[in-house]
Amino acid sequence: MFTPLNQKKLVNVSIVTLKKFGRRYELAVYPNKLYEYRNGMRTPLSEILQTDTIYRSVSKGEIARQGDLDLFCRTHEEIVREILDCGYEQKSEATRVYEQEKTEREIVQILRNKVTRGGRHLSEASLREAIGKVHNIYVGNSKKQSQEILSKLEKMGFDRVGVRVSVEMSDKVAEFVKQNGEIHDGYVMIRSDCFPRFKDMCEKEKVRYLILRREEPEDEEIC
């Protein structure tokens, strides 16, 4: 009997299992494509599924009986999508590695344009090294982790890239900038994490402002 997992080209597959009607339904899927699908990407089923066969047990190569599939009263594709949407994934090592590396890449990408040291952006290697000293990245919310890491890096002497703004100065604006940024000749620099509050304040006080295009910090020299 054909067994998906005993084929060399199918080593890096995950199994998605749905328990329903007192029965077990399984699909063999590519973990990276399943991850994309479950995170909102429009991924064709043909790219997610190793095979569109629905199994009772993928590891044993036991195909689901037609009578068990008829219980859904749905088309084959609709059953497949229900298994993908509602089933639980038996994660392989390949899946765990893929998700971890993807989260790490997302965090590095977010922070590369938000962190400087000595007026220079860090190289990817230097940034990864700095992150490793303050945070253990886990699979999950990349934006939330990036904010946590950024706060920790600031305490280590790294600088958060600010937003350069031309604004009509008032006592209230000046006080806000003194607490959350810097006042320069002709513009102010607002901490990026404080800019949403600055924007809300300006709109509430009907203060006009303009975000200026500023010179980017130089990249860190790689010797």
Side-chain angles (χ1 to χ4, degrees):
M1 180 178 291
F2 170 70
T3 305
L5 299 185
N6 65 15
Q7 303 297 313
K8 183 176 181 180
K9 67 177 181 178
L10 304 177
V11 171
N12 292 327
V13 299
S14 289
I15 300 171
V16 178
T17 302
L18 175 69
K19 293 181 179 180
K20 192 171 184 178
F21 310 120
R23 292 162 174 78
R24 188 184 188 94
Y25 304 89
E26 294 187 344
L27 293 171
V29 303
Y30 296 110
N32 57 329
K33 294 300 180 180
L34 177 67
Y35 181 88
E36 293 174 357
Y37 173 80
R38 287 186 165 178
N39 281 274
M41 292 186 65
R42 294 184 177 180
T43 309
L45 291 181
S46 59
E47 294 183 11
I48 303 170
L49 304 175
Q50 177 272 316
T51 170
D52 65 357
T53 300
I54 299 174
Y55 291 85
R56 183 170 62 180
S57 173
V58 171
S59 60
K60 296 178 181 179
E62 297 177 358
I63 298 174
R65 298 187 181 94
Q66 186 58 48
D68 292 342
L69 297 177
D70 291 341
L71 296 173
F72 284 89
C73 297
R74 305 177 73 179
T75 66
H76 183 85
E77 180 177 332
E78 289 173 338
I79 298 172
V80 167
R81 289 194 179 278
E82 182 173 344
I83 296 172
L84 291 176
D85 292 338
C86 304
Y88 65 90
E89 180 186 3
Q90 301 175 42
K91 292 186 178 181
S92 65
E93 180 62 22
T95 302
R96 289 189 287 271
V97 170
Y98 173 80
E99 292 180 349
Q100 180 69 23
E101 291 180 346
K102 187 174 189 300
T103 301
E104 291 176 0
R105 288 195 301 270
E106 290 174 348
I107 290 174
V108 169
Q109 186 62 36
I110 291 171
L111 293 178
R112 283 203 70 178
N113 295 322
K114 294 183 180 296
V115 179
T116 61
R117 191 161 200 175
R120 295 177 181 272
H121 282 304
L122 280 70
S123 66
E124 181 174 336
S126 296
L127 181 56
R128 284 181 177 272
E129 181 180 355
I131 292 172
K133 292 179 179 179
V134 299
H135 185 79
N136 291 320
I137 294 176
Y138 55 87
V139 176
N141 192 318
S142 299
K143 291 184 178 180
K144 180 181 178 182
Q145 290 188 72
S146 296
Q147 289 298 325
E148 294 173 354
I149 294 168
L150 192 49
S151 296
K152 293 175 182 177
L153 290 178
E154 282 188 289
K155 295 177 181 178
M156 291 180 60
F158 292 85
D159 299 311
R160 185 191 297 253
V161 175
V163 181
R164 187 174 179 177
V165 182
S166 174
V167 61
E168 296 177 348
M169 293 299 291
S170 66
D171 291 342
K172 194 164 187 177
V173 170
E175 183 62 27
F176 183 93
V177 175
K178 288 178 182 178
Q179 295 178 6
N180 304 285
E182 301 172 349
I183 298 177
H184 296 271
D185 186 17
Y187 68 92
V188 299
M189 188 71 77
I190 307 295
R191 285 168 49 94
S192 58
D193 59 324
C194 298
F195 184 74
R197 289 194 292 119
F198 172 81
K199 180 180 177 181
D200 290 341
M201 180 193 67
C202 289
E203 292 176 352
K204 183 178 180 180
E205 299 295 323
K206 297 183 179 180
V207 174
R208 298 174 64 183
Y209 68 92
L210 176 66
I211 299 176
L212 302 176
R213 181 177 181 180
R214 59 175 177 76
E215 294 183 3
E216 289 290 334
E218 297 179 8
D219 288 335
E220 178 183 68
E221 293 182 3
I222 302 176
C223 300

